[in-house]
Amino acid sequence: QSALTQPRSVSGSPGQSVTISCTGTTSDVGGYNYVSWYQQYPGKAPKLVIFDVTQRPSGVPDRFSGSKSANTASLTVSGLQADDEADYFCCSYAGSQTWVFGGGTKLTVL
Amino acid sequence: EVQLVESGGGLVQPGGSLRLSCAASGFTFSNHWMYWIRQVPGKGLVWVSRIKYDGGFTSYADSVKGRFITSRDNAKNTLYLEMSSLRVDDTAIYYCARDYSSVPDHWGQGTLVTVTS
């Protein structure tokens, strides 16, 4: 149950796009399409922004998109806005009824 | 509106016990698997446990297996986490979350557990 690997930080200017990676193994990210992404503001609960690799919950802007290639999942935020500045965490099913999260990425809007 | 409200956190000594609760409303609690997930403030999220909608199956992270027990009372729309043999590294904010298609979707605001002597 090792944590998924995410970059500690990414940044971009308003209007630009940024991509956050989430690297696991064939036992988690690469083995299942149960990858989800969460946005978390300081002191607040995480909010689901992507599930099942590419699906957006209702109410989440289409500026948020997800993808996966082999053992790496990615979250892309396009048309960056100031309120996209937050921590982002990935999560994957890891088999045998266990789940694993990434260490989190701080997105800074310059 | 889905609401999850955790309670029961606090200060406890190493080796002690604590029971967390999560009161659910705004959805049919008995239809959903549920999670416990924790987070050291300022650090990453860590999956702790998951329980089937009828309480008939539970799974745990290796780090808490044998020390934590997850249960639920569907009549009271409440999820529980019984924690025993607590260690300093169990210190964290504990969140409950609802399951949607094997993904935690809605989360509570969390309750802080501090294990210290």
Side-chain angles (χ1 to χ4, degrees):
Chain A
Q1 296 175 353
S2 298
L4 306 174
T5 301
Q6 297 182 233
R8 295 199 68 168
S9 64
V10 298
S11 62
S13 299
Q16 290 185 333
S17 294
V18 294
T19 296
I20 300 170
S21 61
C22 169
T23 301
T25 68
T26 55
S27 297
D28 38 61
V29 174
Y32 306 95
N33 286 325
Y34 291 124
V35 176
S36 51
W37 289 90
Y38 301 87
Q39 176 190 62
Q40 186 181 36
Y41 294 113
K44 300 297 185 183
K47 173 191 171 186
L48 180 68
V49 294
I50 293 287
F51 67 98
D52 293 357
V53 180
T54 62
Q55 303 303 301
R56 270 189 319 276
S58 60
V60 174
D62 60 4
R63 301 185 297 103
F64 290 83
S65 62
S67 62
K68 190 182 83 166
S69 176
N71 298 336
T72 298
S74 299
L75 172 71
T76 298
V77 185
S78 57
L80 271 177
Q81 299 180 358
D83 65 358
D84 295 332
E85 185 161 299
D87 293 325
Y88 291 84
F89 295 89
C90 60
C91 175
S92 175
Y93 179 64
S96 301
Q97 292 294 314
T98 66
W99 278 256
V100 62
F101 284 88
T105 298
K106 180 174 178 57
L107 169 59
T108 300
V109 180
L110 301 171
Chain B
E1 177 193 3
V2 173
Q3 285 205 337
L4 297 166
V5 179
E6 302 91 339
S7 61
L11 210 60
V12 61
Q13 291 187 333
S17 300
L18 209 56
R19 186 176 85 157
L20 306 183
S21 299
C22 169
S25 61
F27 65 101
T28 305
F29 180 70
S30 58
N31 285 354
H32 288 265
W33 295 65
M34 296 291 295
Y35 298 86
W36 285 105
I37 296 156
R38 68 186 182 185
Q39 183 177 35
V40 174
K43 301 295 185 182
L45 297 164
V46 176
W47 171 76
V48 172
S49 177
R50 183 177 183 244
I51 185 168
K52 191 177 177 182
Y53 51 84
D54 63 357
F57 181 85
T58 51
S59 56
Y60 300 93
D62 289 344
S63 58
V64 306
K65 204 173 292 184
R67 302 187 299 122
F68 289 13
I69 297 174
T70 295
S71 62
R72 63 193 297 162
D73 185 336
N74 285 346
K76 294 183 178 180
N77 289 341
T78 302
L79 174 71
Y80 302 102
L81 182 65
E82 293 272 4
M83 304 185 294
S84 61
S85 302
L86 281 162
R87 310 188 299 222
V88 171
D89 63 359
D90 292 318
T91 294
I93 299 167
Y94 285 74
Y95 296 101
C96 64
R98 189 184 75 165
D99 177 277
Y100 174 76
S101 188
S102 298
V103 165
D105 65 346
H106 290 273
W107 298 53
Q109 287 301 306
T111 187
L112 178 62
V113 173
T114 303
V115 184
T116 181
S117 54

